[in-house]
Amino acid sequence: MEKSKSNSNLLEKDSLALTSVVVLLVFLLLVGGVYFWVSKKNKGNVVFPAGVSYLGPNQLTPVPTVDLTQLGKSGKWLQSGGKIYKYLFIYPAELQITAFINDQSDKIAWITGIVPPQQNIAFTVETISEFNKKYQGDLEGFAANYWRRFSGLSGAKSVEPYTNSKGLKGFKAIYLDKKGNVANTNYFFQVPNDPDHVLQVINGMIPENIFNQIVNSVEFK
């Protein structure tokens, strides 16, 4: 009788221990699930101190459409720049800018509400050797031939030396589309002490007078 009672107590203890383990596992799974959901929900919405939204490659955040004709009208300009290659620039406060998660080219794009930021890149650092090693240290040659990377471009209308207001020297290149129309204006500045990397500043839609002020403000820390 005593043995039967002892076995019963052991079974009760084993059952209680098993129940405790199951409850603990369920709790851990719930905590893990909540953490995963929160992490996924917040991914791509980190904001840098400089006011740069940090977006993933497919992140599309609806924003009010910017009236490009009003850029600079407030007279307020903000400063931001790259996190890897340490370039700086100013831009009108009416614009928003964004960087991208795990992007080694240090891209920054305009957020205008007109086109997705991924289609509105303003600053990017190119690796010359990935295009053609022979242009390492030859910024003019790189600028003159960079259009070849894009099937929608037909050539360079002009490539000329350029020095901005900060004394930064580079090249200004105007590229043509397949119809022979001007596609965009690109500026190329060598990253200091780095012959394999070049900062490219691109204008696709910003009014020229505002864009010129932005380009003239570019410098490296």
Side-chain angles (χ1 to χ4, degrees), residues 16-178:
L16 181 61
L18 181 61
T19 301
S20 299
V21 170
V22 170
V23 170
L24 179 60
L25 287 174
V26 171
F27 174 75
L28 291 175
L29 286 172
L30 286 173
V31 170
V34 170
Y35 176 79
F36 175 78
W37 180 82
V38 171
S39 298
K40 187 174 181 181
K41 185 174 186 294
N42 288 335
K43 185 179 181 182
N45 293 321
V46 180
V47 177
F48 283 112
V52 183
S53 300
Y54 198 39
L55 302 184
N58 298 313
Q59 183 79 16
L60 298 177
T61 305
V63 295
T65 301
V66 174
D67 183 351
L68 298 180
T69 66
Q70 298 302 306
L71 294 182
K73 293 294 179 67
S74 69
K76 183 178 180 182
W77 290 66
L78 306 174
Q79 186 182 66
S80 191
K83 306 301 176 184
I84 301 174
Y85 293 95
K86 308 302 181 184
Y87 61 89
L88 294 173
F89 63 93
I90 62 171
Y91 64 98
E94 293 84 358
L95 277 173
Q96 294 183 53
I97 58 178
T98 181
F100 299 88
I101 291 175
N102 298 324
D103 176 49
Q104 294 304 304
S105 60
D106 223 1
K107 289 185 184 71
I108 288 181
W110 306 126
I111 301 178
T112 62
I114 300 171
V115 297
Q118 292 84 350
Q119 299 174 18
N120 206 8
I121 304 298
F123 296 85
T124 182
V125 174
E126 301 286 350
T127 302
I128 295 176
S129 59
E130 291 180 357
F131 175 67
N132 194 321
K133 289 184 178 180
K134 74 177 183 179
Y135 294 121
Q136 286 181 320
D138 179 11
L139 185 56
E140 182 176 9
F142 178 78
N145 290 277
Y146 182 77
W147 64 271
R148 299 180 188 279
R149 295 191 63 176
F150 305 95
S151 60
L153 298 179
S154 63
K157 179 181 179 180
S158 63
V159 177
E160 56 189 32
Y162 177 84
T163 303
N164 75 358
S165 297
K166 296 290 185 178
L168 195 62
K169 297 181 183 297
F171 289 88
K172 174 184 178 180
I174 298 177
Y175 299 133
L176 302 175
D177 62 20
K178 291 296 186 181

Side-chain angles (χ1 to χ4, degrees), residues 15 46 68 93 117 159 161 199 218 220:
S15 177
V46 180
L68 298 180
V159 177
L199 172 65
V218 177
F220 287 90

